Amino acid sequence: MSRRNRVSEAVIRRLPKYYRYLKDMEKSGVERISSRELSDKMGLTASQIRQDFNCFGGFGQQGYGYNVSELCNEIKKILGLHKNYNVVIAGAGNLGQALANYVGFEREGFYIKAIFDVNPRLIGMSIRGIQILDIDHMKDFIINNNIHIGIVCVPKDKAQEVTDQMIECGIKSIWNFAPIDVETPADVAVENVHLSDTLYTLVYKMNEI
Ligand code: NAI
């Protein structure tokens, strides 16, 4: 049975937040942290944190706290961030270009190998040395360059089509920014990122206050 089957979605969703907080603490030179201190910082309960970590066999010494850099490394491994990943982006518009311009992904091991678009005015350009290629070449490129992750930054009505093309070439992971939930087979991971959903939630909260 894979880990995905054993660990709940809610725990998986909290792991990146643990990783982010622990990485910051490690950078600031914090060596040890108790689950209570971690819970105060993160806005979770200490028992929630202990329960979450128990899903992976614990990590901490009772009463002595967690070693921050060990815990950070463990969570990094659990997330799979100790490996490098090759990435392509479909859609070289505002969002595709912004993502390609962000150097932080490389620092975490995500290497954007190419961007694909249909617009002849964009094809042939490059962003930080990453070439914008014709979408017609995407399939061959994916097959020949061991691409792990496809980022979808095309208009809504093209998002499923582009996702399907990526999957046909063996991509197992789709990060979709178009405002529809793209569908993928069971063996392909997908994260649909809807930035405006969080904006609408924000506005709701603002109007409730
Ligand atoms: P954009 O219009 O600037 O860029 C879209 C790009 O996709 C264009 O360059 C277009 O030529 C290309 N394209 C169209 N059909 C294609 C196809 N079949 N294959 C490859 N490329 C194709 O749009 P933008 O702002 O970059 O947004 C991209 C997607 O992300 C949209 O679905 C949008 O709703 C969504 N989004 C954008 C946000 C933003 O801040 N820009 C925020 C949240 C969502």
Side-chain angles (χ1 to χ4, degrees), residues 9 15 18 22 24 33 41 67 73 76 85 93 95 107 111 120 127-128 139 145 153 158 164 166 168 183 188 208:
E9 177 83 14
L15 287 176
Y18 287 125
L22 288 161
D24 280 351
I33 190 151
K41 276 188 192 293
N67 176 311
N73 269 331
K76 185 175 185 168
Y85 298 97
L95 190 59
R107 282 195 219 114
Y111 293 94
I127 296 160
R128 280 196 316 116
K139 283 188 173 181
N145 289 277
C153 294
K158 298 289 176 212
D164 293 345
M166 289 174 167
E168 266 172 49
E183 288 177 13
V188 176
E208 282 293 289

Side-chain angles (χ1 to χ4, degrees), residues 44-163:
L44 296 166
T45 67
S47 92
Q48 176 77 83
I49 289 178
R50 282 192 296 268
Q51 265 177 44
D52 285 355
F53 292 173
N54 278 340
C55 296
F56 303 99
F59 308 134
Q61 293 103 316
Q62 206 65 16
Y64 189 52
Y66 301 102
N67 176 311
V68 169
S69 72
E70 274 175 29
L71 183 56
C72 189
N73 269 331
E74 285 301 322
I75 293 178
K76 185 175 185 168
K77 270 194 240 158
I78 290 166
L79 283 167
L81 295 174
H82 59 306
K83 300 185 209 164
N84 290 336
Y85 298 97
N86 294 331
V87 179
V88 293
I89 298 177
N94 290 308
L95 190 59
Q97 293 198 24
L99 292 173
N101 265 314
Y102 180 54
V103 291
F105 294 132
E106 269 151 42
R107 282 195 219 114
E108 289 292 348
F110 298 94
Y111 293 94
I112 299 168
K113 295 294 183 182
I115 314 170
F116 295 91
D117 207 287
V118 285
N119 185 341
R121 276 181 295 164
L122 294 171
I123 295 166
M125 286 171 53
S126 62
I127 296 160
R128 280 196 316 116
I130 306 163
Q131 275 203 301
I132 302 176
L133 304 172
D134 191 320
I135 192 78
D136 288 346
H137 298 151
M138 185 175 75
K139 283 188 173 181
D140 282 344
F141 189 95
I142 291 173
I143 291 166
N144 294 322
N145 289 277
N146 189 29
I147 303 299
H148 305 99
I149 300 172
I151 305 184
V152 177
C153 294
V154 296
K156 183 180 171 181
D157 59 334
K158 298 289 176 212
Q160 187 64 54
E161 178 186 317
V162 162
T163 299

